[in-house]
Amino acid sequence: VHGVFGGKTGLRDADMPGSRDGGDSGLGVVDACQGRFTLKELQSWLNQNSLVLFTSSKFYQAPPFCAAVLIPPTIADKLKSLAPPGP
């Protein structure tokens, strides 16, 4: 499930999606690429096991195409325990 948190137009989804069953039955993804969020908001998304997409725009003086996916610990632990994909 995908939610958009703020864009250039100022529009945003009312609620940001959380992952269901710790990510077992669905992943919540918060598109926070514009960087218009508080640390409190970021922490709330990670607490609900949402993956958070973030790009470092020119505002942050980052290199071109710089980005990150913030993965909450619950989901990261599950990913670490998976076998690598086969050929």
Side-chain angles (χ1 to χ4, degrees):
V1 179
H2 178 257
V4 176
F5 188 81
K8 293 176 185 175
T9 63
L11 295 176
R12 64 176 62 168
D13 292 331
D15 296 309
M16 294 298 110
S19 294
R20 292 185 219 130
D21 301 319
D24 290 336
S25 62
L27 289 174
V29 178
V30 176
D31 181 345
C33 289
Q34 293 293 320
R36 296 180 173 104
F37 57 87
T38 66
L39 288 177
K40 185 177 177 181
E41 289 166 323
L42 174 60
Q43 189 62 52
S44 72
W45 302 330
L46 295 174
N47 287 342
Q48 66 183 16
N49 290 320
S50 298
L51 303 178
V52 180
L53 307 178
F54 177 72
T55 57
S56 298
S57 68
K58 293 175 188 170
F59 176 79
Y60 296 105
Q61 298 180 350
F65 308 110
C66 182
V69 178
L70 306 177
I71 303 173
T74 302
I75 306 296
D77 290 341
K78 289 182 181 191
L79 291 172
K80 286 184 220 174
S81 69
L82 294 174

